[in-house]
Amino acid sequence: MRANLIIAGVPKAGTTSLFLALASHPDVCGSSIKETQYYRPLVDGNECGPIEEYENYFSKCTTQRYRLEATPEYFYGGRRLIDRMKSDLGDVRVILVLREPRSRMISFFRFKKAHMHLPSDLSFEDYLSACEAVPEKGRLARDSSAYMGMEGSHYDTYLPHWLAGLGDSLRVFFFDDLISDADSVLVRIAEWLDIDPAGFPPESMSHGNSTTNFRWAPLQRIALRIAERAEGLSQSHPGLYNRMRAIYYRINAAAPDERPSAKTLDYLDRHFAPHNQRLAQQLINHGIQSLPDWLHAATRDAEVSESS
């Protein structure tokens, strides 16, 4: 069996929580690990492995109507990845979740530090400079993926491929709605998939991949290895998984990094403004009228700029 429902983006926009919530529905079978990464090589211009490798992630699935996986980095794969996915999977449905770019970039930075992909003493300002220093053609490469925080928030560059390639088989949601009204998002997805909205367990949406700093690096390395090997536990025994995670956080959690300076935040706002303006127009042209505040602000700024 292969997936016919995929959460394809973007990183640090609530995709883990959404994956776990959807996988809790009796008509949806989640892959054995959330991020199969099967189509990820296409982002780098490489080839996927044998399709049998992909099918193994769904070996436990039986009669469920949908087989789900979630690899957020698929978002950056362009038309080549989309065409290959459609060729392999046929009538596949895809969900994208977008988050305000500045906050997504900060969350991505903290996540990469927590997973020890970045130096523990790296400041956000130095990280920003490092992201900008990566050559444009290498910003999505796997070996520099920890520094794709800025490029990864240029949604307007990558979204048109999905809009053109999938049509009604695509749905775009916003992190804002997952935070403010997750139940409504699940109902909308269920109606789109033609499954019973009442099939989701109570409070099925949780913050499944929140980022927390650590105090002791050796303990963090051990915890990361354990988490990688026990990923399926979050689906099979979510209560136990959450209790274990809470205990670990009490032992090794540390205060978050200081908030970036006002000057840095202002710089990011100005940097992302034209990208957000183009993104808002792309969504509106596609018939998506219900936009979050950060995209409404982008459209207003664009109107002011045109009239001045």
Side-chain angles (χ1 to χ4, degrees), residues 105-107 109-110 113 120-127 213 254-262 264-265 268:
M105 182 180 178
I106 294 171
S107 179
F109 162 72
R110 290 172 174 167
K113 284 186 72 172
S120 60
D121 59 349
L122 183 69
S123 70
F124 182 76
E125 282 71 20
D126 287 340
Y127 175 72
N213 279 3
D257 293 318
E258 292 185 6
R259 183 175 172 81
S261 68
T264 298
L265 295 177
L268 288 175

Side-chain angles (χ1 to χ4, degrees), residues 9 30 36 111 169 184 195 229 236:
T36 73
F111 176 81
S169 295
S184 176
I195 59 177
R229 294 174 183 175
S236 59

Side-chain angles (χ1 to χ4, degrees), residues 1-4 6 36-42 47-59 67 69 74 81 83-90 92:
M1 290 187 176
R2 305 174 188 179
N4 57 0
I6 294 178
T36 73
Q37 296 281 328
Y38 178 74
Y39 292 102
R40 176 61 178 81
L42 298 174
E47 284 297 328
C48 305
I51 194 64
E52 291 77 14
E53 293 180 4
Y54 192 57
E55 294 171 341
N56 287 337
Y57 291 111
F58 306 97
S59 59
R67 296 167 299 281
E69 74 128 316
Y74 287 170
L81 184 147
D83 289 345
R84 176 63 180 273
M85 185 183 292
K86 290 167 62 178
S87 174
D88 286 349
L89 309 181
V92 61

Side-chain angles (χ1 to χ4, degrees), residues 132-145:
E132 294 180 311
V134 176
E136 185 173 353
K137 290 186 176 180
R139 288 176 182 171
L140 299 178
R142 187 181 290 274
D143 59 0
S144 60
S145 61

Side-chain angles (χ1 to χ4, degrees), residues 234-250:
S234 61
Q235 293 186 63
S236 59
H237 298 85
L240 174 61
Y241 176 83
N242 289 332
R243 287 194 295 273
M244 292 173 59
R245 187 175 62 176
I247 292 171
Y248 174 73
Y249 283 165
R250 284 200 294 271

